[in-house]
Amino acid sequence: MSPTRPRRSLDGDWDFWPDLHGALPDDPRDGSFVTRAERDDAAGRARVARVPGVWQAQFDDLRGFAGAAWYERTLEVPSSWDGRAVHLCFGAVDYHCTAWVDGRLAGMHEGGYLPFRLDVTDAVAPGRAQRVTLRVLDPGPGRDLPSLPFAEIPHGKQSWYGPLGGPWQSVHVEAVASPFVAHALVVADPDSGDVDVRARLGAPAVAGTTIEYVVASPDGLDVVASGPHDVAPGTRDHRARVRVARPERWDVDAPRLYSLAVVVRGPGGDDEWRDEFGFRTVETRDGRVVLNGRPLYVRGALDQDYYAHTIASPASDDDVRATVLRARELGLNLLRCHIKVADPRYARWCDRLGMLVWAELPNWQTLTPAAAERARTTLRGMIERDFNRPSIVAWTVVNEGWGVDLPGDASHRAWVRDTYRWTKDLDPTRIVVDNSPCAPNFHVESDLNDFHFYRPIPDGARAWSRWTAAWVADPASTYSPHGDAVRRGDEPMIVSEFGNWGLPDVAGLVDDDGREPWWFDTGADWEDGIVLPRGVRARFDEWRLDDVFGSWREFVAQSQEHELDALRYEIDDMRAHRAIAGYVVTELTDVHWECNGLLDQARNPKTLHARFASFNCDDAVIARPAATRVRAGESVRVEVVASHWSQRPFDAPVVEWTAPALGARGRVGGPPVAVGGVAPFGDVVVAVPPDAPPGRVVAHFDLLDDRGRTAASNELEIAVFDARPTAAAAPFGRRRGDGRDVVVAPRWDDDVEDALARGERAVIVATGAGALPDCGLAVEARAGSRWEGHWAQGMGWLRPALRAGLPLRPRVDLTFLDLVPEHVVAGYEPEAAGDVLAGLYVGWIHATAATVGTFSCGDGAGIVCTFPVAESYGRDPLATALLDRLVDLAAAPGFAPVTRIAPAG
C-alpha cells in the first residue's frame, strides 16, 4: 500500500442474501436499489458471508447455486479523508457487480477475474457510518441471467466443477489524489539497462502536475530516477525511460526483482504507485523456449488454482507461497495457470521464488460477437494487470478449442488467428499460444507447437511412445489441415497436458470433525459416474481390496506409486526426443474428483514427492530396458540416453550404474552433449545370475558432468522369475496341474463345455469379445469403453493367490509391459469379490471388472483370463508363470468359485 493512499480493508464478515427464488432484480442493466427489508422479505433474513470468498465454498446449500446475491456491511470513511477522492476497490468479483453507498448507485462492473474501482467520493460522508451494498450476478451452468448467457462469458472450469460467485478477492476503500496513478507498464531491457515505463493516470492531469519515476535495485542500494517531468494538462498517459547500470537479470534460479515508484504531484495532492519488475527476456527460437538468451527445457505442471476449502481464493498469502515452494521441490520450473485468472499474489510469489507462469484466458462455450468481445476485454485486462510480472512468460487464447469450432468453422479459425496476432501486438514481450490443442482441434498460428495427450501406463505405454515418435516425425500434424495454418517451422514442441491418476488419502482431506469434503458428491454426471468420490472406502471394502493391498493406506500408496511409474515412463520417453522442448504435467494438485495431481487438493505431498525431482530436472538420464522381466540366468540390455539442458559442462559426461541386489555396477562414457541436446551412451547389460531367486532388481543410473558431479538420476526395475523350465510346450490343450487335468482353451468351445459337464476344470485365455457364451459373464473390449482409462484412469490389481511366489506387486505395473489385458470380464458382483483373482477399476474405484475371474458351471469350475499369456507362453517368463499358476489354481482340490454360470442353450 502506498503511503500516500490511506486504505481501509472491507474484508471480513458481510451480511448476505442469496436470491434463491429469483425474487429480486437480476438484470445487470437495472441499477435500482433494494432495501434491507425488501431483501429480508424476498430472500429471508441475512446470513453472514466472508469476503474474500465465493459463496459456494461457504454454504452447503449453495454449492451449486448460480444467480443473484446481495452483500452489505458498514463503511466508515475517516474524517481525515475529507476533501480527497474516495474509491471503492475490488480485486475481483465473479461475475457482475453493482454497488451502492447508502442506497446511492456507485457503479457497475462486468467480468469475474479482474480488478476495478468505483469513485464513491460524492456518496461517502467522512466520519459517519454508512452502508455499502453489493449485488452480485453470477451466471452458471444452466442458469443464464438477462444479457448474461453463461455460454458467452469467460468462466473457465465452472462448467466442470460448479459455479463461483461473489467477491473472491479483497475489497477495500482508499483515498487518492487527483490525478492519481492508475497503472504503469514496464519494459526492462537487460542488455541496455533501459527501463521504459508507460504510466496511466486515473484522471486527466491538471496544470502544475508532475510525475517522477524511481527505480531501486534488488538490494535497495542503487537508486536511479527520471524526472520530475511536467505533465501536460488534459493528458492521462506519460512515458519515460530510466537507465540502470549493470542490470541483474531475473531468472528461475536468481529471481532478482527491481522496485518502481511512480510519484505524481499536483494541486490535488501527491500520489505514489509502487510495483516490482524484472529484467528478463523470453522468446522461441530454433525449436526451443529461450529465457535470457539460453535454451530452457520446460518442466511444467498444469495448475487449476483451486483450493480445498475456499475453491477459488487462496486462504492466505502464506498458502500461495507454500504452493510455489512445493512446486519447486518437485523440480518444476513453470506453472500453467489453467483457464483461470489467479489472485495477483500468485504471480507475485512466482516472481519472488523463481517460477515461470503460463497464463490462460478463461474459456466460454459459444463464440458469438458478445463472447468474442468479452474474451478480448478479459485478455486485455489480464495483460495490463500482470504485464510487469517477469514470471509470466506466455499467454493462451483458447484451450482445447473450448468455445470455438476449429475443425468445422473457418471464421472461428480466423478469429483465433487474429486474436493471436492481436495479443502479440498488445504484448510482444511474451510467448502467445492461439489454441492449446488436443485431437480433433489444432493450432492455426502459434508461438508454441503444443499438444495434449493422455494414456494410462502400462496399458497405453506403447501407444504413448508411438504417438510421440509420430509427432516428432510430423510436427505439422498438430496444425490446421484446412490450408490456413501459418507456421515458421521452428515452433518449440511441448506436450502441454499429460498425466496419470494417483488417488489421495481421504484422511488428509477430512475436516476437523472427520467429515469428507463436500465435493465428494460431485462428478456423478461424468463418464457414467466413474469419477464420483463419495463411497470410495465402501467400494474398497466391498471388493475386498484389503486382501489385495493389505490396507486402505497401502492401496493409496500403491495408487500414487502407479502415478509415479507412469510419469517416469512418459517423461523418459519425451526426454529421449531432441525435438520435444518440454512438457506440462497434469497437474500440480488434485481438483475435486480429478486426481492426477502431484499433490492432493489440500497441498499434501503424495508418495512420489521426494523422488519426482530426481528425473524432473534440467538434465536427464534415460534408461530404457529391452525387457522389464527376465528369468534367472538371463541378461537385460538397457539403452542409456542423456538429455542436457543445464549449464553444467558436458564435454565428457559419464553414466554410472549399480544394481545392488546383484552386486553389479558399471560405468559408460558418452559423447559431448550441447545444451538442448540428446545423446546416446550405448547399451548397458545387466546380467542376472542363474541362482538369483525370484524378486525385483532395481538398477540405479547417475549422470555425471565433467567434474564428476551428479546432474541427474533415474532407476528402473527388472522382475526376475525362476529359471526352471515351463511345464508344457504349448499353452492350449489338456494340462496337468496339482494332480488333475485342466482343459486350457482360447474360448468356450465343446471341449470346455464337455469337461465342465463332467465335473472337470478349465482355463479360458480370452482375447476376444466372443470368448464366453451368454452366461451372465461377458468378455468386453476396453478400447472405446469406460475401461480404456485414457483420462479418468484406474489401476489393475492381483490377488495374493495369483502372485504368490512370483516377483509381482499387488498392482499391474510396468512388469506387465506388452502383457496388459485389452479386454475385461464384466458381470462379477462385489458379493463374489473373491472370485476376481485379478481386476481393474477406473476413477474412484468404479466399474470394477475382472481380468482373471473364476466361475462354477454344473459340477465343474473354471477360470477366464484376459491377460494375453498364450501367445508368448514358454518364451515370456511372466506369461508362462501366470498361465501355469492359473492351471494350478484351477486344479486345486478346494477350488469352488461362488459365481455360477449357466450358458444359454
Side-chain angles (χ1 to χ4, degrees), residues 54-55 92-96 111-113 136-138 154 158 164-168:
V54 295
W55 65 65
V93 180
D94 202 343
Y95 172 74
H96 185 283
Y113 298 99
V136 178
L137 303 177
D138 174 40
Q158 294 184 54
L164 301 172
W168 65 279

Side-chain angles (χ1 to χ4, degrees), residues 95 110-111 114 152-154 341 360-364 367-385 395-398 404 411-426 434:
Y95 172 74
E110 180 183 340
L114 297 170
E152 297 179 30
I153 68 170
V341 185
E360 298 185 326
L361 173 65
N363 69 284
W364 56 97
L367 186 65
T368 63
E373 180 179 358
R374 290 184 176 108
R376 288 197 177 184
T377 297
T378 303
L379 186 51
R380 181 190 294 275
M382 293 168 60
I383 293 171
E384 179 173 301
R385 191 195 75 171
W395 307 109
T396 293
V397 178
V398 174
V404 293
S411 68
H412 287 202
R413 296 194 294 274
W415 183 85
V416 168
R417 180 199 62 225
D418 292 346
T419 304
Y420 158 81
R421 295 175 180 176
W422 174 86
T423 307
K424 292 292 289 185
D425 288 342
L426 277 181
D434 59 340

Side-chain angles (χ1 to χ4, degrees), residues 205-249:
V206 297
T209 300
T210 65
I211 190 167
E212 183 178 18
Y213 305 88
V214 181
V215 172
S217 63
D219 59 13
L221 299 179
D222 296 324
V223 179
V224 60
S226 174
H229 305 276
D230 293 331
V231 183
T235 63
R236 298 185 65 166
D237 295 310
H238 188 270
R239 295 172 182 259
R241 174 173 292 174
V242 182
R243 174 158 292 178
V244 172
R246 299 178 302 279
E248 301 176 62
R249 291 179 185 255

Side-chain angles (χ1 to χ4, degrees), residues 135-193:
R135 182 189 62 189
V136 178
L137 303 177
D138 174 40
R143 179 70 169 92
D144 291 342
L145 293 171
S147 76
L148 295 177
F150 181 71
E152 297 179 30
I153 68 170
H155 55 253
K157 281 291 186 76
Q158 294 184 54
S159 58
W160 284 49
Y161 305 127
L164 301 172
W168 65 279
Q169 292 181 30
S170 288
V171 182
H172 69 271
V173 62
E174 68 180 21
V176 298
S178 181
F180 65 98
V181 182
H183 197 61
L185 305 182
V186 180
V187 177
D189 185 341
D191 294 323
S192 66

